[in-house]
Amino acid sequence: DAFAQVQRCKVYVDEVQDYTQLEILLFFYLSGPNGLFLAGDPAQSVVEGTEFRFEEVRGVGHFVGSVIQKPKTVNVNFRSHSGILNCAGGVLDLMFTHFPSSAKQLKKDKGLFQGSRPGVLLGTSIDQLNILLGDKLKGAVVLTHDESARHCRRLLNDYKLVYGVREAK
């Protein structure tokens, strides 16, 4: 039976914070007992309709009879340099100051590599941004609200590196 063969496999799921409890339940059923490895960051949940907490995963696992180990925290980031992580940490500090229960507060990530802090441009006109992207900031990534990414890309002469938050993730 094909389902029994799948259940004997190990299932690895990254970005688990972007899945609903029902989807996580399916991962438990597919993996069988002790065959599931989940990785995610509760502070990175950007999918509407999911308010992720690792405690909820434990509840789903208990529901299907799986033994769940205590989550392990990894604070070394292998993808982003320290400049990006420091900027993101500053944004999270502001978020936790104003919305303390919006996500689980973890230790700040440390990068393996040094790097410059990204720029945050507030109040910059589209004309100014077009000039900067054509000259001094060529190759820079522009992050915007998901709903306005396509419009912003058009206003920036179809600049390819314009992303909404979810798309950039």
Side-chain angles (χ1 to χ4, degrees), residues 2-168:
F3 184 69
Q5 286 179 325
V6 170
Q7 277 196 311
R8 280 180 269 183
C9 297
K10 299 286 184 192
V11 176
Y12 298 87
V13 181
D14 194 10
E15 305 291 353
V16 70
Q17 74 275 359
D18 294 333
Y19 292 97
T20 65
Q21 286 185 338
L22 181 59
E23 290 167 322
I24 293 169
L25 178 65
L26 288 173
F27 294 137
F28 274 104
Y29 280 134
L30 284 173
S31 66
N34 303 317
L36 184 59
F37 179 87
L38 302 172
D41 184 344
Q44 289 186 14
S45 185
V46 296
V47 175
E48 288 182 48
T50 62
E51 293 181 29
F52 181 82
R53 302 279 189 265
F54 274 107
E55 294 77 24
E56 294 171 355
V57 173
R58 294 178 72 81
V60 173
H62 181 72
F63 176 76
V64 296
S66 288
V67 177
I68 310 251
Q69 295 179 9
K70 184 178 178 189
K72 298 189 181 22
T73 303
V74 178
N75 295 102
V76 177
N77 188 304
F78 297 94
R79 291 188 287 190
S80 301
H81 64 70
S82 61
I84 291 172
L85 296 173
N86 292 340
C87 182
V91 170
L92 287 173
D93 286 344
L94 283 171
M95 181 184 85
F96 288 124
T97 297
H98 297 288
F99 307 99
S101 13
S102 58
K104 184 173 182 176
Q105 195 164 0
L106 304 170
K107 289 182 184 176
K108 290 187 180 183
D109 281 359
K110 293 180 173 48
L112 294 177
F113 310 102
Q114 296 298 314
S116 59
R117 190 177 184 133
V120 177
L121 304 174
L122 295 173
T124 306
S125 74
I126 289 293
D127 291 335
Q128 291 171 319
L129 193 52
N130 260 322
I131 291 167
L132 288 170
L133 291 172
D135 183 24
K136 294 179 181 176
L137 295 179
K138 194 172 239 169
V141 173
V142 177
L143 292 177
T144 185
H145 295 282
D146 292 314
E147 299 79 27
S148 59
R150 185 180 301 161
H151 178 68
C152 197
R153 200 174 289 127
R154 253 184 277 120
L155 291 175
L156 293 170
N157 300 320
D158 290 321
Y159 187 72
K160 303 291 183 213
L161 299 176
V162 176
Y163 299 102
V165 172
R166 288 187 189 110
E167 185 181 14

